[in-house]
PDB file of all heavy atoms in Angstrom:
ATOM      1  N   GLY A  65      -7.883  57.034  12.708  1.00 81.00           N
ATOM      2  CA  GLY A  65      -8.954  57.694  13.441  1.00 81.00           C
ATOM      3  C   GLY A  65      -8.431  59.005  13.987  1.00 81.00           C
ATOM      4  O   GLY A  65      -7.214  59.217  14.089  1.00 81.00           O
ATOM      5  N   ARG A  66      -9.329  59.868  14.350  1.00 78.00           N
ATOM      6  CA  ARG A  66      -8.919  61.214  14.736  1.00 78.00           C
ATOM      7  C   ARG A  66      -8.384  61.243  16.164  1.00 78.00           C
ATOM      8  O   ARG A  66      -9.080  60.896  17.107  1.00 78.00           O
ATOM      9  CB  ARG A  66     -10.107  62.168  14.614  1.00 78.00           C
ATOM     10  CG  ARG A  66      -9.708  63.616  14.840  1.00 78.00           C
ATOM     11  CD  ARG A  66     -10.910  64.523  14.797  1.00 78.00           C
ATOM     12  NE  ARG A  66     -10.508  65.924  14.977  1.00 78.00           N
ATOM     13  CZ  ARG A  66     -11.348  66.890  15.272  1.00 78.00           C
ATOM     14  NH1 ARG A  66     -12.622  66.640  15.401  1.00 78.00           N
ATOM     15  NH2 ARG A  66     -10.907  68.128  15.411  1.00 78.00           N
ATOM     16  N   THR A  67      -7.111  61.639  16.303  1.00 71.00           N
ATOM     17  CA  THR A  67      -6.545  61.852  17.629  1.00 71.00           C
ATOM     18  C   THR A  67      -6.103  63.295  17.826  1.00 71.00           C
ATOM     19  O   THR A  67      -6.123  63.796  18.946  1.00 71.00           O
ATOM     20  CB  THR A  67      -5.340  60.927  17.864  1.00 71.00           C
ATOM     21  OG1 THR A  67      -4.395  61.112  16.797  1.00 71.00           O
ATOM     22  CG2 THR A  67      -5.765  59.469  17.908  1.00 71.00           C
ATOM     23  N   PHE A  68      -5.642  63.960  16.743  1.00 74.00           N
ATOM     24  CA  PHE A  68      -5.280  65.378  16.821  1.00 74.00           C
ATOM     25  C   PHE A  68      -6.545  66.202  16.644  1.00 74.00           C
ATOM     26  O   PHE A  68      -7.299  65.942  15.720  1.00 74.00           O
ATOM     27  CB  PHE A  68      -4.267  65.716  15.724  1.00 74.00           C
ATOM     28  CG  PHE A  68      -2.884  65.201  15.971  1.00 74.00           C
ATOM     29  CD1 PHE A  68      -2.527  63.915  15.602  1.00 74.00           C
ATOM     30  CD2 PHE A  68      -1.933  65.998  16.575  1.00 74.00           C
ATOM     31  CE1 PHE A  68      -1.257  63.437  15.818  1.00 74.00           C
ATOM     32  CE2 PHE A  68      -0.653  65.533  16.789  1.00 74.00           C
ATOM     33  CZ  PHE A  68      -0.311  64.249  16.414  1.00 74.00           C
ATOM     34  N   PRO A  69      -6.793  67.237  17.413  1.00 79.00           N
ATOM     35  CA  PRO A  69      -6.020  67.650  18.580  1.00 79.00           C
ATOM     36  C   PRO A  69      -6.681  67.283  19.904  1.00 79.00           C
ATOM     37  O   PRO A  69      -6.375  67.882  20.927  1.00 79.00           O
ATOM     38  CB  PRO A  69      -6.026  69.169  18.400  1.00 79.00           C
ATOM     39  CG  PRO A  69      -7.406  69.446  17.884  1.00 79.00           C
ATOM     40  CD  PRO A  69      -7.786  68.248  17.020  1.00 79.00           C
ATOM     41  N   THR A  70      -7.546  66.312  19.882  1.00 86.00           N
ATOM     42  CA  THR A  70      -8.448  66.096  21.017  1.00 86.00           C
ATOM     43  C   THR A  70      -7.965  65.086  22.052  1.00 86.00           C
ATOM     44  O   THR A  70      -8.645  64.859  23.041  1.00 86.00           O
ATOM     45  CB  THR A  70      -9.797  65.607  20.482  1.00 86.00           C
ATOM     46  OG1 THR A  70      -9.568  64.469  19.633  1.00 86.00           O
ATOM     47  CG2 THR A  70     -10.493  66.707  19.687  1.00 86.00           C
ATOM     48  N   HIS A  71      -6.826  64.456  21.807  1.00 90.00           N
ATOM     49  CA  HIS A  71      -6.413  63.352  22.674  1.00 90.00           C
ATOM     50  C   HIS A  71      -5.052  63.606  23.324  1.00 90.00           C
ATOM     51  O   HIS A  71      -4.233  64.388  22.834  1.00 90.00           O
ATOM     52  CB  HIS A  71      -6.316  62.052  21.867  1.00 90.00           C
ATOM     53  CG  HIS A  71      -7.654  61.465  21.529  1.00 90.00           C
ATOM     54  ND1 HIS A  71      -8.531  62.082  20.679  1.00 90.00           N
ATOM     55  CD2 HIS A  71      -8.253  60.317  21.944  1.00 90.00           C
ATOM     56  CE1 HIS A  71      -9.612  61.324  20.571  1.00 90.00           C
ATOM     57  NE2 HIS A  71      -9.479  60.257  21.320  1.00 90.00           N
ATOM     58  N   ASP A  72      -4.834  62.910  24.430  1.00 94.00           N
ATOM     59  CA  ASP A  72      -3.495  62.715  24.975  1.00 94.00           C
ATOM     60  C   ASP A  72      -3.005  61.367  24.462  1.00 94.00           C
ATOM     61  O   ASP A  72      -3.758  60.378  24.446  1.00 94.00           O
ATOM     62  CB  ASP A  72      -3.504  62.682  26.500  1.00 94.00           C
ATOM     63  CG  ASP A  72      -3.695  64.054  27.111  1.00 94.00           C
ATOM     64  OD1 ASP A  72      -3.586  65.058  26.386  1.00 94.00           O
ATOM     65  OD2 ASP A  72      -3.955  64.109  28.329  1.00 94.00           O
ATOM     66  N   LEU A  73      -1.737  61.313  24.055  1.00 95.00           N
ATOM     67  CA  LEU A  73      -1.099  60.056  23.685  1.00 95.00           C
ATOM     68  C   LEU A  73      -0.042  59.755  24.736  1.00 95.00           C
ATOM     69  O   LEU A  73       0.739  60.639  25.098  1.00 95.00           O
ATOM     70  CB  LEU A  73      -0.433  60.190  22.317  1.00 95.00           C
ATOM     71  CG  LEU A  73      -0.989  59.349  21.183  1.00 95.00           C
ATOM     72  CD1 LEU A  73      -0.733  57.881  21.419  1.00 95.00           C
ATOM     73  CD2 LEU A  73      -2.465  59.606  20.987  1.00 95.00           C
ATOM     74  N   ALA A  74      -0.011  58.539  25.204  1.00 97.00           N
ATOM     75  CA  ALA A  74       0.935  58.167  26.243  1.00 97.00           C
ATOM     76  C   ALA A  74       1.645  56.870  25.890  1.00 97.00           C
ATOM     77  O   ALA A  74       1.146  56.072  25.089  1.00 97.00           O
ATOM     78  CB  ALA A  74       0.214  57.999  27.576  1.00 97.00           C
ATOM     79  N   TRP A  75       2.803  56.712  26.478  1.00 98.00           N
ATOM     80  CA  TRP A  75       3.538  55.453  26.412  1.00 98.00           C
ATOM     81  C   TRP A  75       3.576  54.847  27.813  1.00 98.00           C
ATOM     82  O   TRP A  75       3.857  55.545  28.794  1.00 98.00           O
ATOM     83  CB  TRP A  75       4.957  55.667  25.901  1.00 98.00           C
ATOM     84  CG  TRP A  75       5.038  55.962  24.443  1.00 98.00           C
ATOM     85  CD1 TRP A  75       5.036  57.196  23.853  1.00 98.00           C
ATOM     86  CD2 TRP A  75       5.117  55.021  23.375  1.00 98.00           C
ATOM     87  NE1 TRP A  75       5.109  57.081  22.488  1.00 98.00           N
ATOM     88  CE2 TRP A  75       5.165  55.748  22.167  1.00 98.00           C
ATOM     89  CE3 TRP A  75       5.153  53.627  23.303  1.00 98.00           C
ATOM     90  CZ2 TRP A  75       5.246  55.130  20.906  1.00 98.00           C
ATOM     91  CZ3 TRP A  75       5.240  53.016  22.067  1.00 98.00           C
ATOM     92  CH2 TRP A  75       5.281  53.765  20.877  1.00 98.00           C
ATOM     93  N   PHE A  76       3.309  53.545  27.878  1.00 98.00           N
ATOM     94  CA  PHE A  76       3.448  52.755  29.088  1.00 98.00           C
ATOM     95  C   PHE A  76       4.405  51.612  28.779  1.00 98.00           C
ATOM     96  O   PHE A  76       4.660  51.290  27.616  1.00 98.00           O
ATOM     97  CB  PHE A  76       2.087  52.183  29.506  1.00 98.00           C
ATOM     98  CG  PHE A  76       1.126  53.204  30.044  1.00 98.00           C
ATOM     99  CD1 PHE A  76       0.423  54.042  29.189  1.00 98.00           C
ATOM    100  CD2 PHE A  76       0.913  53.325  31.402  1.00 98.00           C
ATOM    101  CE1 PHE A  76      -0.464  54.984  29.673  1.00 98.00           C
ATOM    102  CE2 PHE A  76       0.016  54.265  31.908  1.00 98.00           C
ATOM    103  CZ  PHE A  76      -0.675  55.089  31.040  1.00 98.00           C
ATOM    104  N   ARG A  77       4.896  50.975  29.819  1.00 98.00           N
ATOM    105  CA  ARG A  77       5.709  49.784  29.625  1.00 98.00           C
ATOM    106  C   ARG A  77       5.368  48.739  30.674  1.00 98.00           C
ATOM    107  O   ARG A  77       4.870  49.067  31.760  1.00 98.00           O
ATOM    108  CB  ARG A  77       7.202  50.120  29.649  1.00 98.00           C
ATOM    109  CG  ARG A  77       7.728  50.695  30.949  1.00 98.00           C
ATOM    110  CD  ARG A  77       9.170  51.156  30.753  1.00 98.00           C
ATOM    111  NE  ARG A  77       9.757  51.696  31.970  1.00 98.00           N
ATOM    112  CZ  ARG A  77      10.952  52.275  32.038  1.00 98.00           C
ATOM    113  NH1 ARG A  77      11.701  52.393  30.931  1.00 98.00           N
ATOM    114  NH2 ARG A  77      11.417  52.733  33.191  1.00 98.00           N
ATOM    115  N   GLN A  78       5.646  47.500  30.324  1.00 98.00           N
ATOM    116  CA  GLN A  78       5.277  46.394  31.202  1.00 98.00           C
ATOM    117  C   GLN A  78       6.317  45.299  31.124  1.00 98.00           C
ATOM    118  O   GLN A  78       6.730  44.905  30.025  1.00 98.00           O
ATOM    119  CB  GLN A  78       3.898  45.851  30.812  1.00 98.00           C
ATOM    120  CG  GLN A  78       3.334  44.827  31.765  1.00 98.00           C
ATOM    121  CD  GLN A  78       1.903  44.467  31.420  1.00 98.00           C
ATOM    122  OE1 GLN A  78       1.454  44.593  30.282  1.00 98.00           O
ATOM    123  NE2 GLN A  78       1.160  44.007  32.420  1.00 98.00           N
ATOM    124  N   THR A  79       6.709  44.783  32.303  1.00 98.00           N
ATOM    125  CA  THR A  79       7.586  43.625  32.393  1.00 98.00           C
ATOM    126  C   THR A  79       6.782  42.458  32.945  1.00 98.00           C
ATOM    127  O   THR A  79       5.756  42.661  33.598  1.00 98.00           O
ATOM    128  CB  THR A  79       8.791  43.923  33.281  1.00 98.00           C
ATOM    129  OG1 THR A  79       8.335  44.384  34.559  1.00 98.00           O
ATOM    130  CG2 THR A  79       9.668  45.002  32.657  1.00 98.00           C
ATOM    131  N   PRO A  80       7.221  41.225  32.710  1.00 96.00           N
ATOM    132  CA  PRO A  80       6.460  40.048  33.153  1.00 96.00           C
ATOM    133  C   PRO A  80       6.177  40.085  34.645  1.00 96.00           C
ATOM    134  O   PRO A  80       7.070  40.347  35.452  1.00 96.00           O
ATOM    135  CB  PRO A  80       7.379  38.887  32.778  1.00 96.00           C
ATOM    136  CG  PRO A  80       8.164  39.399  31.619  1.00 96.00           C
ATOM    137  CD  PRO A  80       8.396  40.845  31.908  1.00 96.00           C
ATOM    138  N   GLY A  81       4.928  39.843  34.992  1.00 96.00           N
ATOM    139  CA  GLY A  81       4.531  39.790  36.381  1.00 96.00           C
ATOM    140  C   GLY A  81       4.255  41.132  37.009  1.00 96.00           C
ATOM    141  O   GLY A  81       3.915  41.204  38.198  1.00 96.00           O
ATOM    142  N   ASN A  82       4.387  42.200  36.238  1.00 97.00           N
ATOM    143  CA  ASN A  82       4.168  43.550  36.764  1.00 97.00           C
ATOM    144  C   ASN A  82       3.060  44.265  36.000  1.00 97.00           C
ATOM    145  O   ASN A  82       2.747  43.907  34.861  1.00 97.00           O
ATOM    146  CB  ASN A  82       5.451  44.374  36.680  1.00 97.00           C
ATOM    147  CG  ASN A  82       6.524  43.836  37.593  1.00 97.00           C
ATOM    148  OD1 ASN A  82       6.330  43.696  38.795  1.00 97.00           O
ATOM    149  ND2 ASN A  82       7.677  43.510  37.022  1.00 97.00           N
ATOM    150  N   GLU A  83       2.506  45.278  36.622  1.00 96.00           N
ATOM    151  CA  GLU A  83       1.494  46.080  35.957  1.00 96.00           C
ATOM    152  C   GLU A  83       2.173  47.049  34.994  1.00 96.00           C
ATOM    153  O   GLU A  83       3.362  47.337  35.101  1.00 96.00           O
ATOM    154  CB  GLU A  83       0.673  46.854  36.993  1.00 96.00           C
ATOM    155  CG  GLU A  83      -0.127  45.968  37.920  1.00 96.00           C
ATOM    156  CD  GLU A  83      -0.971  46.770  38.877  1.00 96.00           C
ATOM    157  OE1 GLU A  83      -0.842  48.006  38.908  1.00 96.00           O
ATOM    158  OE2 GLU A  83      -1.775  46.156  39.603  1.00 96.00           O
ATOM    159  N   ARG A  84       1.370  47.560  34.075  1.00 97.00           N
ATOM    160  CA  ARG A  84       1.883  48.572  33.160  1.00 97.00           C
ATOM    161  C   ARG A  84       2.189  49.844  33.931  1.00 97.00           C
ATOM    162  O   ARG A  84       1.408  50.272  34.788  1.00 97.00           O
ATOM    163  CB  ARG A  84       0.861  48.855  32.054  1.00 97.00           C
ATOM    164  CG  ARG A  84       0.719  47.703  31.098  1.00 97.00           C
ATOM    165  CD  ARG A  84      -0.225  47.980  29.971  1.00 97.00           C
ATOM    166  NE  ARG A  84      -0.468  46.739  29.236  1.00 97.00           N
ATOM    167  CZ  ARG A  84      -1.217  46.648  28.150  1.00 97.00           C
ATOM    168  NH1 ARG A  84      -1.807  47.731  27.658  1.00 97.00           N
ATOM    169  NH2 ARG A  84      -1.366  45.485  27.557  1.00 97.00           N
ATOM    170  N   SER A  85       3.317  50.447  33.603  1.00 98.00           N
ATOM    171  CA  SER A  85       3.710  51.675  34.281  1.00 98.00           C
ATOM    172  C   SER A  85       3.862  52.801  33.264  1.00 98.00           C
ATOM    173  O   SER A  85       4.275  52.575  32.119  1.00 98.00           O
ATOM    174  CB  SER A  85       5.015  51.479  35.053  1.00 98.00           C
ATOM    175  OG  SER A  85       6.063  51.143  34.185  1.00 98.00           O
ATOM    176  N   PHE A  86       3.532  53.977  33.707  1.00 98.00           N
ATOM    177  CA  PHE A  86       3.553  55.165  32.865  1.00 98.00           C
ATOM    178  C   PHE A  86       4.984  55.546  32.509  1.00 98.00           C
ATOM    179  O   PHE A  86       5.876  55.496  33.368  1.00 98.00           O
ATOM    180  CB  PHE A  86       2.861  56.313  33.594  1.00 98.00           C
ATOM    181  CG  PHE A  86       2.958  57.629  32.897  1.00 98.00           C
ATOM    182  CD1 PHE A  86       2.112  57.931  31.842  1.00 98.00           C
ATOM    183  CD2 PHE A  86       3.892  58.568  33.293  1.00 98.00           C
ATOM    184  CE1 PHE A  86       2.202  59.153  31.193  1.00 98.00           C
ATOM    185  CE2 PHE A  86       3.986  59.789  32.667  1.00 98.00           C
ATOM    186  CZ  PHE A  86       3.142  60.079  31.611  1.00 98.00           C
ATOM    187  N   VAL A  87       5.175  55.963  31.262  1.00 98.00           N
ATOM    188  CA  VAL A  87       6.489  56.402  30.809  1.00 98.00           C
ATOM    189  C   VAL A  87       6.460  57.887  30.426  1.00 98.00           C
ATOM    190  O   VAL A  87       7.231  58.689  30.937  1.00 98.00           O
ATOM    191  CB  VAL A  87       6.961  55.572  29.607  1.00 98.00           C
ATOM    192  CG1 VAL A  87       8.291  56.113  29.064  1.00 98.00           C
ATOM    193  CG2 VAL A  87       7.103  54.101  29.985  1.00 98.00           C
ATOM    194  N   ALA A  88       5.564  58.250  29.520  1.00 98.00           N
ATOM    195  CA  ALA A  88       5.506  59.633  29.038  1.00 98.00           C
ATOM    196  C   ALA A  88       4.176  59.871  28.358  1.00 98.00           C
ATOM    197  O   ALA A  88       3.520  58.920  27.917  1.00 98.00           O
ATOM    198  CB  ALA A  88       6.648  59.910  28.059  1.00 98.00           C
ATOM    199  N   ALA A  89       3.797  61.153  28.270  1.00 97.00           N
ATOM    200  CA  ALA A  89       2.551  61.518  27.596  1.00 97.00           C
ATOM    201  C   ALA A  89       2.716  62.855  26.898  1.00 97.00           C
ATOM    202  O   ALA A  89       3.555  63.680  27.298  1.00 97.00           O
ATOM    203  CB  ALA A  89       1.396  61.582  28.585  1.00 97.00           C
ATOM    204  N   ILE A  90       1.897  63.052  25.880  1.00 96.00           N
ATOM    205  CA  ILE A  90       1.893  64.317  25.155  1.00 96.00           C
ATOM    206  C   ILE A  90       0.456  64.724  24.863  1.00 96.00           C
ATOM    207  O   ILE A  90      -0.375  63.871  24.532  1.00 96.00           O
ATOM    208  CB  ILE A  90       2.717  64.213  23.844  1.00 96.00           C
ATOM    209  CG1 ILE A  90       2.843  65.585  23.170  1.00 96.00           C
ATOM    210  CG2 ILE A  90       2.145  63.174  22.894  1.00 96.00           C
ATOM    211  CD1 ILE A  90       3.893  65.611  22.062  1.00 96.00           C
ATOM    212  N   ARG A  91       0.181  66.009  25.046  1.00 93.00           N
ATOM    213  CA  ARG A  91      -1.143  66.546  24.719  1.00 93.00           C
ATOM    214  C   ARG A  91      -1.076  67.018  23.276  1.00 93.00           C
ATOM    215  O   ARG A  91      -0.356  67.973  22.966  1.00 93.00           O
ATOM    216  CB  ARG A  91      -1.497  67.686  25.648  1.00 93.00           C
ATOM    217  CG  ARG A  91      -2.876  68.294  25.356  1.00 93.00           C
ATOM    218  CD  ARG A  91      -3.579  68.712  26.623  1.00 93.00           C
ATOM    219  NE  ARG A  91      -3.775  67.589  27.501  1.00 93.00           N
ATOM    220  CZ  ARG A  91      -3.932  67.705  28.820  1.00 93.00           C
ATOM    221  NH1 ARG A  91      -3.911  68.888  29.396  1.00 93.00           N
ATOM    222  NH2 ARG A  91      -4.102  66.626  29.555  1.00 93.00           N
ATOM    223  N   LEU A  92      -1.830  66.368  22.404  1.00 88.00           N
ATOM    224  CA  LEU A  92      -1.678  66.588  20.972  1.00 88.00           C
ATOM    225  C   LEU A  92      -2.135  67.974  20.542  1.00 88.00           C
ATOM    226  O   LEU A  92      -1.708  68.475  19.507  1.00 88.00           O
ATOM    227  CB  LEU A  92      -2.433  65.504  20.199  1.00 88.00           C
ATOM    228  CG  LEU A  92      -1.916  64.087  20.455  1.00 88.00           C
ATOM    229  CD1 LEU A  92      -2.732  63.080  19.661  1.00 88.00           C
ATOM    230  CD2 LEU A  92      -0.441  63.969  20.121  1.00 88.00           C
ATOM    231  N   SER A  93      -2.981  68.618  21.323  1.00 87.00           N
ATOM    232  CA  SER A  93      -3.466  69.947  20.961  1.00 87.00           C
ATOM    233  C   SER A  93      -2.397  71.013  21.127  1.00 87.00           C
ATOM    234  O   SER A  93      -2.351  71.968  20.352  1.00 87.00           O
ATOM    235  CB  SER A  93      -4.684  70.292  21.812  1.00 87.00           C
ATOM    236  OG  SER A  93      -4.349  70.238  23.181  1.00 87.00           O
ATOM    237  N   ARG A  94      -1.527  70.853  22.133  1.00 87.00           N
ATOM    238  CA  ARG A  94      -0.554  71.916  22.434  1.00 87.00           C
ATOM    239  C   ARG A  94       0.880  71.445  22.487  1.00 87.00           C
ATOM    240  O   ARG A  94       1.792  72.249  22.597  1.00 87.00           O
ATOM    241  CB  ARG A  94      -0.913  72.572  23.774  1.00 87.00           C
ATOM    242  CG  ARG A  94      -2.200  73.367  23.734  1.00 87.00           C
ATOM    243  CD  ARG A  94      -2.459  74.044  25.062  1.00 87.00           C
ATOM    244  NE  ARG A  94      -3.593  74.954  24.982  1.00 87.00           N
ATOM    245  CZ  ARG A  94      -4.077  75.639  26.009  1.00 87.00           C
ATOM    246  NH1 ARG A  94      -3.519  75.513  27.196  1.00 87.00           N
ATOM    247  NH2 ARG A  94      -5.104  76.436  25.850  1.00 87.00           N
ATOM    248  N   GLY A  95       1.090  70.150  22.500  1.00 89.00           N
ATOM    249  CA  GLY A  95       2.452  69.641  22.578  1.00 89.00           C
ATOM    250  C   GLY A  95       3.022  69.576  23.973  1.00 89.00           C
ATOM    251  O   GLY A  95       4.201  69.253  24.140  1.00 89.00           O
ATOM    252  N   ASN A  96       2.221  69.850  24.999  1.00 93.00           N
ATOM    253  CA  ASN A  96       2.701  69.705  26.375  1.00 93.00           C
ATOM    254  C   ASN A  96       3.086  68.257  26.614  1.00 93.00           C
ATOM    255  O   ASN A  96       2.447  67.331  26.103  1.00 93.00           O
ATOM    256  CB  ASN A  96       1.607  70.078  27.374  1.00 93.00           C
ATOM    257  CG  ASN A  96       0.962  71.404  27.057  1.00 93.00           C
ATOM    258  OD1 ASN A  96       0.383  71.559  25.980  1.00 93.00           O
ATOM    259  ND2 ASN A  96       1.061  72.342  27.966  1.00 93.00           N
ATOM    260  N   THR A  97       4.107  68.070  27.417  1.00 96.00           N
ATOM    261  CA  THR A  97       4.580  66.715  27.698  1.00 96.00           C
ATOM    262  C   THR A  97       4.725  66.486  29.197  1.00 96.00           C
ATOM    263  O   THR A  97       4.822  67.434  29.987  1.00 96.00           O
ATOM    264  CB  THR A  97       5.936  66.461  27.022  1.00 96.00           C
ATOM    265  OG1 THR A  97       6.883  67.436  27.481  1.00 96.00           O
ATOM    266  CG2 THR A  97       5.822  66.528  25.512  1.00 96.00           C
TER     267      THR A  97
END
């Protein structure tokens, strides 16, 4: 499906018993991180 260039892609992580936490993101249109 189309993600470039209209989306941000992010990575989250989660350990047992905890909420998902943000790790990193990239703006696919410009490469900002």
Side-chain angles (χ1 to χ4, degrees):
R66 187 183 182 195
T67 54
F68 286 86
T70 53
H71 285 67
D72 285 347
L73 245 293
W75 287 92
F76 289 79
R77 62 188 181 186
Q78 188 173 25
T79 55
N82 294 304
E83 296 183 353
R84 290 183 190 183
S85 62
F86 173 80
V87 175
I90 187 167
R91 180 144 300 156
L92 298 179
S93 58
R94 292 183 172 177
N96 311 61
T97 58

